Each structure stands twice: as structure tokens, then as C-alpha cells.
């Protein structure tokens, strides 16, 4: 018998429910990128949102709604999720899945380039206490700057894919996405406004608490 990897073992312990499996199947059936967070990672998002007593969550990158469901499950009573997505068809799919999960009235979708939506939220004076960044990597530094700008004191920022499947760790890799994620990682580690750590799991997971 072949030993399981740590990720395989943990994901085996935390099985996905019917709704999350349905999201993955819909993504596959529609030819969308199959890059939803892993089962245990989804549980972690719920855990972090719930333990931080998140009332207003901002999600950058929607895809089919998998992470949105996990975040919504961690919302405080009466809380809300604002989801930013470039593609309207992705947001439409996510909306359907969140409605099926009973969160339809708690979620707002903004379609278009995330940086534009973030600027609009800033101009509206919106603030949030939890951020999940999982979108186009070249704009990660921009998204982090906005997250800090829109953060309430004590807000949590979570950044996904900080290793880019090893490319961030390889000094020979100098593409624009790699360079952007390195800048993101360095700011997360060194920005005096943040208390930060990074986990070497799930392709690199950065966590920050906003002072």
C-alpha cells in the first residue's frame, strides 16, 4: 500500500459535501479551470472566517463559487460576502451555487477587472474584516494594497498560491506572475501594518492580521 501524502491524508479526513462536489462537477462540465481550493483548505477558510467573527468578507476571484460557499459558511449572523469576478459567466454560476446553499441574500457580485471594483469600493467607503485573494497573480500586489486600504482594524487577509507550484521558489523563473507574487509575499512578510505568517501547504498560503 502506498503511503498518502499529508495533503491527501487531510483531504481524506475532511470529505466534501454534496453542494461542494456539485460545484466541482459544474466547473468540470463547463470546461472551466479546475483550480478550486482543496477540501481541507475550504474548511480552513470557514474556520478562519468564523473564528475571526467576520461580518463583511471580500473575495477576489470567484470561479464556480466553491471558496465563496466556504467563506459564507463562516460568516457571522447577518454577515455579507462581496465577490469580485472578471467573467460574468463565472459569477452567474457561483451565484446559483450560493443561492442553492442558502446564501443568496448575503452575497453581492461585482463584475469586471478586480482593481476597478476595488477602487469603486474604496470610493464608496466600504470596509471589510476578512479578505481572500485568489485571482490573477500579476495583480496580487495591487490587491494587497487595496485590502490593507479597505481593512478594518483586526481584519484578516488570506492569499492563495504564493508558491505558484514551485515557480516562486525557483530563482531562474522571472516571469511577470512570478515577480508579482514574490513582491506580494515580501510585502506580506515585511509590511509594518501587518502581522503575518506563511504556511508551506496548499501551494503556499499567506495569512495576515491587520493592525
Amino acid at each position: 500500500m502506498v503511503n498518502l501524502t499529508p495533503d491527501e491524508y487531510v483531504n481524506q479526513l475532511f470529505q466534501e459535501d454534496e453542494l461542494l462536489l456539485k460545484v466541482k462537477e459544474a466547473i468540470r462540465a463547463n470546461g472551466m479551470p479546475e483550480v478550486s481550493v482543496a477540501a481541507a483548505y475550504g474548511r480552513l477558510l470557514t474556520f478562519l472566517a468564523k473564528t475571526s467573527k467576520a461580518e463583511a468578507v471580500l473575495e477576489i476571484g470567484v470561479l464556480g463559487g466553491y471558496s465563496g460557499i466556504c467563506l459564507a459558511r463562516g460568516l457571522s449572523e447577518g454577515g455579507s460576502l462581496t465577490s469580485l469576478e472578471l467573467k460574468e459567466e463565472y459569477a452567474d454560476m457561483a451565484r446559483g451555487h450560493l443561492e442553492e446553499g442558502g446564501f443568496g441574500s448575503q452575497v453581492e457580485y461585482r463584475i469586471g477587472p478586480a482593481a476597478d471594483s476595488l477602487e469603486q469600493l474604496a470610493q464608496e467607503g466600504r470596509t471589510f474584516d476578512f479578505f481572500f485573494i485568489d485571482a490573477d497573480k500579476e495583480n496580487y500586489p495591487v490587491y494587497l494594497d487595496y485590502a490593507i486600504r479597505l481593512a478594518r482594524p483586526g481584519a484578516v487577509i488570506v492569499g492563495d498560491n504564493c508558491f505558484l507550484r514551485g515557480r516562486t521558489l525557483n530563482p531562474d523563473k522571472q516571469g511577470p506572475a512570478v515577480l508579482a507574487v514574490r513582491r506580494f509575499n515580501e510585502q506580506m512578510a515585511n509590511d509594518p501594518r501587518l502581522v503575518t505568517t506563511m504556511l508551506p501547504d496548499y501551494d503556499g498560503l499567506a495569512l495576515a492580521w491587520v493592525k
Side-chain angles (χ1 to χ4, degrees), residues 118-148:
L118 288 163
E119 179 58 31
Q120 184 179 34
L121 290 167
Q123 291 179 8
E124 293 170 8
R126 296 281 297 276
T127 58
F128 301 87
D129 47 33
F130 196 101
F131 301 82
F132 180 50
I133 303 172
D134 186 16
D136 55 302
K137 309 311 174 193
E138 292 184 30
N139 279 310
Y140 261 39
V142 174
Y143 300 154
L144 178 56
D145 286 340
Y146 271 108
I148 297 171

Side-chain angles (χ1 to χ4, degrees), residues 23-133:
V23 173
K24 284 191 170 180
E25 177 55 36
I27 288 171
R28 187 177 304 114
N30 285 273
M32 298 161 63
E34 295 184 44
V35 292
S36 297
V37 299
Y41 189 166
R43 289 287 190 103
L44 177 60
L45 290 176
T46 302
F47 174 88
L48 291 171
K50 188 171 290 291
T51 54
S52 64
K53 299 180 180 179
E55 296 178 353
V57 174
L58 180 62
E59 173 189 32
I60 305 175
V62 171
L63 196 58
Y66 192 108
S67 58
I69 291 168
C70 297
L71 292 165
R73 287 174 172 172
L75 284 170
S76 296
E77 185 175 354
S80 64
L81 170 66
T82 301
S83 296
L84 311 184
E85 174 55 51
L86 178 64
K87 298 185 178 182
E88 188 165 1
E89 62 270 27
Y90 288 8
D92 287 342
M93 178 185 289
R95 182 182 291 109
H97 289 139
L98 269 291
E99 288 175 351
E100 187 173 346
F103 303 111
S105 63
Q106 295 173 266
V107 186
E108 172 194 2
Y109 292 92
R110 301 213 177 190
I111 313 301
D116 293 347
S117 296
L118 288 163
E119 179 58 31
Q120 184 179 34
L121 290 167
Q123 291 179 8
E124 293 170 8
R126 296 281 297 276
T127 58
F128 301 87
D129 47 33
F130 196 101
F131 301 82
F132 180 50
I133 303 172

